[in-house]
Amino acid sequence: MNRQQKGRTPRRPPPKKFPGSQSDPVGVYCRVRPLGQDDKECCIEVISSSTIQLHAPEGFKTNRNGEYKETQYSFKKVFGVSISQTDLFEHVAKPLVDDLISGKNGLLFTYGVTGSGKTFTMTGSPGEGGLLPRSLYMIFNSISPYQAKRYVFKTDDKNGMEVQSEVEALLERQRRDHVSIPKTPSSRQKLDPEIADMIKTEDAYQTEGVDEDSSYCVFVSYVEIYNNYIYDLLEETQDDVIKPKWNGGGTPVHPSTESIAPQSRSLREDQNHNMYVAGCMEVEVKSAEEAFQVFWRGQKKRKVANTRLNRESSRSHSVFIIKLAQAPLDAEGDNVLQDKNQVTVSQLCLVDLAGSERTGRTGAEGTRVREAGNINQSLLTLRTCIEILRENQMCGTSKMVPYRDSKITHLFKNYFDGEGKVRMVVCVNPNADDYEETLLVMRFAEMTQEVEVARPVERPICGFTPGRRHRNQAFKEELTRKLVERGGPIDTDFHVLTNLVQSLPPLPSSEVTDPHDDITLPRLIEALENRQRIRQTIVDEYNRKADMIRSMIQHIDSNMVSTENILQEQNVKLLEKDQLIQSGKMEIERLEKKIKTQEYKIDVLQKTTKNYEDDKRSMQQELETREQRLHRELSEKRRMEQRMQGMVTDTQHKWEKECDRRVNAMQLTMQNKLWVKDEKLKQLKAIVTESKTPGRPDPPPRQTHTAPQSQPRWQRPSREEGPPKRSASPSPLPQGAQDGSESYPSSSTSIRSCISADSTASRARRKNGEEGVCFPSPTKVLGLNERSCWTSTPVRPLHRRSRSAGGEKWVDHKPASNLDLGTVLQPLIPNAIHVSTPSEKTLAKCDRYVLTHQEVASDGEIETKLIKGDVMKTRGGGQSVQFTDIETLKQALTNAPGRKRRSSEGAPATGNQNDGAWTDVETRCSRAVEMRAGSKAGPGYEQHAVIKRRKP
Ligand SMILES: Nc1ncnc2c1ncn2[C@@H]1O[C@H](COP(=O)(O)OP(=O)(O)OP(=O)(O)O)[C@@H](O)[C@H]1O
């Protein structure tokens, strides 16, 4: 042997996979048990045949909004409290039994919280047998006529099955009988009265998938997994003398009732990668009663305990395995085919899991706590395996499934990795105290149905002609009938023959004592001759019968040939029909699966729809609330708007009034200022126009004092009236000025004469429409604030004379009315033409102009002003003077008695009351001279130092 090969563990072939094989989801059913007598609050409601709803009991407000949470779970089918054990069996276990008989594996387990009814569902109670006894009854009800003789099928140590001949089986039986193993009861009458009522025979179902050309045999085994150890519940004990097979393949070595301590078993994998409990007792049973008796024997040994939640709480997972072996009959249809490879073994595992529990609730202590820990741990492993399986299947991952972490999952490994049908009954107790644990169970159960298990493939049909058993039986019956018809050897003939053989006369005593004994020898000869005759008769009879049988057989043979021909034809037709049926079955299965998938989808959709509807309802409520709020806010907003509008209108009115008031005040102020300007202009005008006249008119009274008495208050013009017009009439002069009583020496120097030369030309130009050109009319020259005069450039700078060439030439305009004051400080203007009335000609020669103007100052002294300006050529060819500066020369007279004497002569001695009140020209001119560019004296005052005037 190759060394290398010897040292290495051969690599295990991967689990059997059938490419393209179909798979089915794990079928999960939910059973709700009735509420216990002491239970008060119910937390489960069956809302449809596939959905249950869990209501959180008082104190479990798990929703964010504090509402009671309701959760729904959908399963393949939900059974309410009123479901009978029969109906449950029909829906859940019957298809698995059908499969078992068709040679397919199945796994059925109950899962749930402790006390939820798992054992009740699996085992049942007297009069209400559970899934297990019903399955047994259905199996035997179906296969009874086709069972093989006891010990024809024989289990080996490696989970395999062998077939023996009937003779070997007979010998086996004799051997077992010899060691006096007590037989299990095979009839109902012998059943334990405790279990006699577990099932009513009339309830037993029957499958249609039994193959009549096969022989069947059933083996059962029963193990429990306690604290993660496997124990054989059928193991021999003092009370139970069924010998375990581990001591010699079923041959017991302890003939006595010697006790063997329970020993934990290990799990192994057979050559087909199926897990099995090594050394576990497998008992061949021939009836449902016998099988159930075996189960019950093990059940009594199962570890149960009285907990606070269940008087008989299972402390272990129990696994009852029904193994069905079937092998085809030989070609004659008489005996089981002696070929191991033709044996099909299928098994159905019925598992009653221990219930998940919280030790706090069960009141467990000591051993019970350890048991509970192990139970919960193994259930957790089961959940983990299912979760990973699901993930692997849904996401295409290949995570390792930890089957080995627990014995229970390890035992079921080949169901999930291999093929078969898996069904789970989730038992729930509607008691509100179980709510939390039930929630976990529900989640696990819902997840489990997403796991898929490969569907078992159909077993191959053996090559023999179908209907062999039936044909063989028919042949035997026919043979008997024919023999009877032809007077052949029937049972009576056979008895005659037997009697003949038995009636052969006994041989006389053949002891010859004397050679001459004539009595013994003749008597012996006679007896032998007699026997010879009888024998001849028998031989003749035999030959006759043989001839008759031969002829019959020949006849039958010929019949058989024709029948076989007919049969073959029928077989061909049958095969065709079979194929049709097979394809029909496949189609039906496909459609059934489709229906199931659709049903599942519908369930999911219904659930989703329900969720959406709930969402919709809550959102609608939310929407309504928001709409109401919006309406409230809108009406509030409208009210606010109205209030604001009212306030705005009020404020607007207030401000409009305020603005009107301010505009009026401003207009009044402006009007006053304007009027002051006008006054100034008029005064200047008066100065200019009256410069020729002897004597000086009285200065006009100050507007500020006289205007209210003499002139109507200036009214704010309406908008339609346009901009306010200047007062056309001069402001009323003081009385003294009007009647000329005041005799001030005229200090005003009219310059109208000096520019009048231009008046003709200017008139002509006006005619020619030379608008915008400043005409140096006296009014305009002197009215420094006459806007229209300055709307266009009055001077073309090009026409200015050069001052550098020969210095400036002045027109020294001293009106004739000026007084000689005899002052020392006299302006000396070199290069000047002295005129009393300037003419255009004079002006044309000069480029500077100075007017010496005298007037009475406010203190009564005569004030001399030198009003200077530039002489400009106008566009029309005339001359104009643009005033640029005013120099004021003041002289105080020392001979004034008491108060300051007025410089003007002829002034009233008492003085006019208005004298101090009005602002005379001198005053205003002095103010004008004192003003500087940029002064903020107000729009009513012109700045004399500024040459260039802006457009209004
Ligand atoms: N559907 C049912 N109808 C009537 N009685 C029921 C039903 N289900 C359970 N019961 C009763 O409830 C009790 C507890 O049931 P059972 O022992 O089957 O629970 P369990 O789930 O197996 O508990 P444990 O996990 O502790 O073994 C039993 O007395 C049983 O008769």
Side-chain angles (χ1 to χ4, degrees):
M1 189 184 280
N2 189 337
R3 267 192 170 188
Q4 275 184 332
Q5 278 183 352
K6 194 182 174 188
R8 195 186 293 167
T9 311
R11 212 176 140 190
R12 220 178 256 177
K16 209 170 32 177
K17 288 277 174 206
F18 303 95
S21 66
Q22 293 173 309
S23 57
D24 296 310
V26 175
V28 181
Y29 299 83
C30 177
R31 183 184 200 180
V32 185
R33 61 159 279 189
L35 208 58
Q37 283 179 343
D38 299 335
D39 302 334
K40 286 166 198 130
E41 197 185 345
C42 173
C43 68
I44 291 172
E45 189 189 341
V46 180
I47 56 172
S48 78
S49 63
S50 61
T51 311
I52 63 165
Q53 183 162 295
L54 260 71
H55 308 271
E58 208 65 67
F60 280 92
K61 293 181 180 178
T62 40
N63 261 1
R64 269 190 228 139
N65 52 10
E67 285 172 9
Y68 288 108
K69 191 176 181 181
E70 290 172 351
T71 39
Q72 291 183 358
Y73 297 92
S74 294
F75 302 104
K76 193 164 181 175
K77 199 146 186 64
V78 172
F79 303 105
V81 290
S82 55
I83 189 81
S84 70
Q85 297 278 59
T86 314
D87 289 345
L88 185 80
F89 171 78
E90 190 177 345
H91 282 100
V92 180
K94 185 174 172 289
L96 291 177
V97 176
D98 286 334
D99 275 6
L100 178 80
I101 293 171
S102 308
K104 298 167 190 169
N105 292 340
L107 167 67
L108 171 62
F109 62 99
T110 53
Y111 182 89
V113 181
T114 182
S116 56
K118 298 183 292 297
T119 310
F120 180 81
T121 300
M122 189 56 82
T123 310
S125 59
E128 285 183 292
L131 300 175
L132 189 147
R134 284 172 197 274
S135 300
L136 288 173
Y137 274 85
M138 181 176 166
I139 292 166
F140 285 103
N141 212 23
S142 306
I143 64 159
S144 277
Y146 314 109
Q147 282 198 82
K149 291 209 168 70
R150 203 180 282 266
Y151 306 121
V152 167
F153 288 96
K154 188 182 165 191
T155 55
D156 64 16
D157 294 341
K158 291 168 185 154
N159 206 31
M161 195 66 72
E162 289 171 352
V163 196
Q164 304 187 116
S165 67
E166 286 198 4
V167 179
E168 286 169 319
L170 193 64
L171 287 172
E172 175 98 30
R173 188 162 56 211
Q174 282 175 353
R175 204 165 53 236
R176 292 192 179 218
D177 284 347
H178 180 67
V179 293
S180 66
I181 299 169
K183 285 178 190 168
T184 48
S186 57
S187 70
R188 192 162 183 168
Q189 283 71 33
K190 290 177 191 169
L191 272 177
D192 187 339
E194 207 180 356
I195 57 169
D197 271 346
M198 282 298 228
I199 187 167
K200 293 177 193 150
T201 322
E202 58 268 26
D203 280 349
Y205 286 86
Q206 195 172 4
T207 186
E208 289 167 0
V210 182
D211 181 7
E212 292 179 354
D213 291 322
S214 292
S215 270
Y216 294 86
C217 183
V218 177
F219 293 86
V220 293
S221 51
Y222 195 20
V223 294
E224 74 171 346
I225 299 169
Y226 176 70
N227 285 343
N228 211 26
Y229 287 105
I230 304 175
Y231 295 99
D232 186 356
L233 289 172
L234 304 182
E235 189 185 353
E236 182 196 13
T237 61
Q238 214 160 11
D239 307 327
D240 180 359
V241 287
I242 293 178
K243 301 298 167 198
K245 68 176 181 182
W246 69 85
N247 284 319
T251 309
V253 290
H254 299 290
S256 66
T257 54
E258 193 181 321
S259 167
I260 300 169
Q263 190 184 341
S264 71
R265 304 273 169 241
S266 55
L267 284 175
R268 293 214 187 117
E269 193 173 326
D270 68 10
Q271 56 179 359
N272 296 321
H273 307 288
N274 293 324
M275 299 307 298
Y276 70 99
V277 182
C280 170
M281 187 102 180
E282 287 178 305
V283 182
E284 184 180 354
V285 284
K286 290 291 166 201
S287 70
E289 290 82 6
E290 190 185 346
F292 196 69
Q293 188 83 315
V294 171
F295 162 76
W296 198 247
R297 205 170 66 215
Q299 183 73 354
K300 280 183 185 167
K301 287 197 228 165
R302 200 181 161 194
K303 292 181 184 57
V304 291
N306 185 355
T307 67
R308 201 184 290 164
L309 298 182
N310 190 359
R311 201 168 48 81
E312 280 187 33
S313 176
S314 315
R315 312 309 300 162
S316 63
H317 308 300
S318 74
V319 185
F320 186 74
I321 303 165
I322 305 170
K323 196 181 263 186
L324 181 73
Q326 51 188 304
L329 291 176
D330 58 11
E332 283 74 42
D334 209 8
N335 294 308
V336 178
L337 192 70
Q338 299 292 300
D339 183 356
K340 196 179 172 183
N341 297 328
Q342 290 291 336
V343 180
T344 305
V345 181
S346 53
Q347 68 175 33
L348 173 62
C349 282
L350 301 171
V351 185
D352 179 11
L353 291 176
S356 60
E357 62 183 50
R358 290 193 178 164
T359 45
R361 285 190 63 221
T362 51
E365 285 173 354
T367 317
R368 297 287 95 83
V369 177
R370 187 166 154 244
E371 285 168 2
N374 279 306
I375 291 168
N376 291 338
Q377 182 57 45
S378 55
L379 293 176
L380 180 69
T381 309
L382 177 65
R383 278 204 289 269
T384 313
C385 289
I386 296 279
E387 267 174 33
I388 295 177
L389 256 176
R390 176 170 150 267
E391 194 186 329
N392 283 350
Q393 289 177 359
M394 292 179 107
C395 312
T397 52
S398 51
K399 282 189 188 169
M400 201 195 79
V401 185
Y403 292 117
R404 285 169 183 271
D405 287 3
S406 165
K407 287 280 187 301
I408 191 84
T409 49
H410 199 187
L411 183 60
F412 296 154
K413 178 176 169 288
N414 53 289
Y415 281 98
F416 292 107
D417 269 0
E419 56 177 45
K421 195 176 261 181
V422 182
R423 295 199 160 184
M424 175 167 95
V425 182
V426 187
C427 298
V428 282
N429 186 349
N431 183 15
D433 293 343
D434 280 6
Y435 174 73
E436 267 185 291
E437 284 157 291
T438 306
L439 261 185
L440 293 177
V441 169
M442 291 290 112
R443 281 180 201 146
F444 166 67
E446 219 178 31
M447 179 190 68
T448 304
Q449 47 191 350
E450 288 170 13
V451 173
E452 298 215 325
V453 177
R455 190 183 295 175
V457 287
E458 297 288 331
R459 74 194 153 105
I461 302 164
C462 83
F464 297 120
T465 323
R468 299 183 297 281
R469 185 191 291 271
H470 184 72
R471 202 181 60 204
N472 187 35
Q473 278 179 359
F475 173 72
K476 280 181 181 168
E477 283 167 14
E478 183 67 19
L479 185 66
T480 313
R481 197 176 59 81
K482 292 276 179 184
L483 282 171
V484 171
E485 274 178 11
R486 296 185 178 208
I490 52 171
D491 279 355
T492 45
D493 291 344
F494 181 74
H495 286 302
V496 170
L497 274 175
T498 316
N499 287 340
L500 271 174
V501 172
Q502 286 173 356
S503 64
L504 284 175
L507 289 175
S509 170
S510 317
E511 196 178 334
V512 181
T513 50
D514 185 2
H516 302 288
D517 189 350
D518 294 333
I519 300 166
T520 308
L521 284 175
R523 208 187 292 158
L524 186 63
I525 289 165
E526 190 189 348
L528 284 173
E529 282 174 353
N530 200 8
R531 279 194 163 218
Q532 176 63 28
R533 269 199 311 277
I534 292 169
R535 191 170 176 275
Q536 193 55 49
T537 314
I538 292 170
V539 168
D540 289 348
E541 184 64 18
Y542 176 79
N543 286 337
R544 195 180 59 83
K545 295 281 178 192
D547 288 345
M548 195 177 73
I549 286 170
R550 198 173 294 118
S551 65
M552 273 175 70
I553 286 171
Q554 279 169 356
H555 177 72
I556 286 169
D557 265 357
S558 61
N559 276 353
M560 279 285 286
V561 170
S562 60
T563 314
E564 264 181 10
N565 287 341
I566 294 167
L567 269 172
Q568 270 176 358
E569 282 171 20
Q570 293 298 324
N571 277 340
V572 171
K573 285 181 185 168
L574 263 172
L575 275 173
E576 285 170 3
K577 296 273 178 206
D578 263 359
Q579 281 172 355
L580 274 176
I581 289 166
Q582 285 298 331
S583 60
K585 269 186 185 170
M586 276 166 67
E587 182 63 16
I588 288 167
E589 273 180 13
R590 194 183 63 78
L591 290 173
E592 270 178 355
K593 197 190 169 190
K594 207 170 167 185
I595 288 168
K596 278 176 205 157
T597 320
Q598 295 300 332
E599 275 176 357
Y600 176 69
K601 280 184 184 166
I602 287 167
D603 286 346
V604 172
L605 280 173
Q606 275 175 345
K607 209 173 145 188
T608 318
T609 312
K610 178 91 182 31
N611 288 343
Y612 280 139
E613 275 173 2
D614 288 350
D615 285 355
K616 190 182 152 197
R617 229 175 291 129
S618 64
M619 283 173 88
Q620 271 176 345
Q621 280 176 0
E622 174 101 340
L623 198 69
E624 278 168 16
T625 321
R626 288 191 178 197
E627 271 178 359
Q628 283 171 2
R629 206 189 308 157
L630 202 69
H631 279 135
R632 271 203 308 277
E633 282 174 0
L634 268 176
S635 56
E636 183 72 17
K637 195 179 154 195
R638 252 180 249 126
R639 268 205 307 280
M640 282 288 287
E641 270 177 5
Q642 282 168 1
R643 254 209 327 265
M644 289 303 288
Q645 265 178 0
M647 281 168 71
V648 165
T649 318
D650 288 352
T651 319
Q652 206 175 347
H653 281 142
K654 214 164 87 188
W655 279 103
E656 271 178 5
K657 276 182 193 168
E658 178 67 18
C659 285
D660 283 353
R661 191 183 63 73
R662 287 187 187 181
V663 166
N664 283 340
M666 186 59 82
Q667 277 181 348
L668 206 59
T669 317
M670 296 298 288
Q671 192 64 28
N672 283 339
K673 286 176 181 173
L674 209 60
W675 186 84
V676 169
K677 294 275 178 191
D678 282 346
E679 278 308 303
K680 188 179 160 188
L681 256 176
K682 280 174 199 164
Q683 285 166 11
L684 277 171
K685 189 177 173 184
I687 293 164
V688 171
T689 48
E690 288 170 23
S691 60
K692 289 179 185 175
T693 58
R696 187 185 168 200
D698 290 336
R702 284 188 75 155
Q703 183 60 34
T704 46
H705 297 278
T706 55
Q709 295 152 12
S710 58
Q711 193 173 332
R713 263 191 97 81
W714 203 84
Q715 294 295 316
R716 181 178 178 263
S718 65
R719 281 181 192 165
E720 291 78 30
E721 287 165 11
K725 291 173 186 162
R726 285 187 187 180
S727 172
S729 61
S731 61
L733 291 169
Q735 195 59 40
Q738 278 180 356
D739 56 18
S741 55
E742 275 190 89
S743 55
Y744 287 107
S746 176
S747 61
S748 307
T749 306
S750 171
I751 58 168
R752 193 172 64 171
S753 57
C754 74
I755 54 173
S756 62
D758 190 50
S759 60
T760 319
S762 59
R763 246 180 266 121
R765 277 196 303 279
R766 231 178 268 142
K767 270 182 195 168
N768 292 335
E770 286 183 29
E771 295 300 326
V773 178
C774 178
F775 301 105
S777 68
T779 310
K780 283 178 181 170
V781 171
L782 294 172
L784 296 180
N785 59 350
E786 268 299 329
R787 294 178 190 180
S788 58
C789 175
W790 304 103
T791 50
S792 59
T793 314
V795 179
R796 283 184 295 181
L798 288 173
H799 296 168
R800 289 193 61 175
R801 293 176 188 87
S802 167
R803 292 176 189 181
S804 56
E808 290 173 335
K809 194 154 189 179
W810 289 80
V811 176
D812 185 10
H813 179 189
K814 281 185 184 158
S817 56
N818 275 11
L819 299 174
D820 185 11
L821 298 174
T823 53
V824 180
L825 203 64
Q826 285 293 332
L828 177 68
I829 305 168
N831 201 15
I833 301 169
H834 303 280
V835 289
S836 59
T837 306
S839 66
E840 192 181 356
K841 207 172 169 185
T842 319
L843 283 171
K845 288 176 191 169
C846 302
D847 44 13
R848 300 298 307 266
Y849 169 87
V850 61
L851 167 67
T852 307
H853 170 66
Q854 289 181 337
E855 59 187 21
V856 180
S858 56
D859 54 359
E861 299 301 331
I862 288 179
E863 199 176 67
T864 305
K865 284 188 177 167
L866 300 177
I867 302 167
K868 295 176 185 174
D870 290 333
V871 180
M872 305 283 187
K873 273 195 169 183
T874 61
R875 287 182 186 166
Q879 306 296 328
S880 71
V881 175
Q882 190 170 5
F883 295 103
T884 57
D885 198 7
I886 296 176
E887 245 177 79
T888 307
L889 307 173
K890 249 183 162 183
Q891 177 180 324
L893 298 178
T894 51
N895 58 347
R899 66 170 189 87
K900 280 184 182 172
R901 196 178 62 82
R902 288 188 108 99
S903 60
S904 56
E905 283 181 13
T910 53
N912 196 310
Q913 289 295 315
N914 294 327
D915 278 357
W918 67 283
T919 305
D920 54 18
V921 174
E922 293 93 323
T923 312
R924 279 187 261 166
C925 280
S926 72
R927 280 184 65 182
V929 168
E930 285 160 14
M931 282 167 68
R932 296 285 178 270
S935 160
K936 292 193 172 109
Y941 297 95
E942 291 298 326
Q943 297 176 6
H944 294 246
V946 178
I947 297 168
K948 200 173 174 183
R949 303 295 297 268
R950 278 192 207 125
K951 278 185 181 180

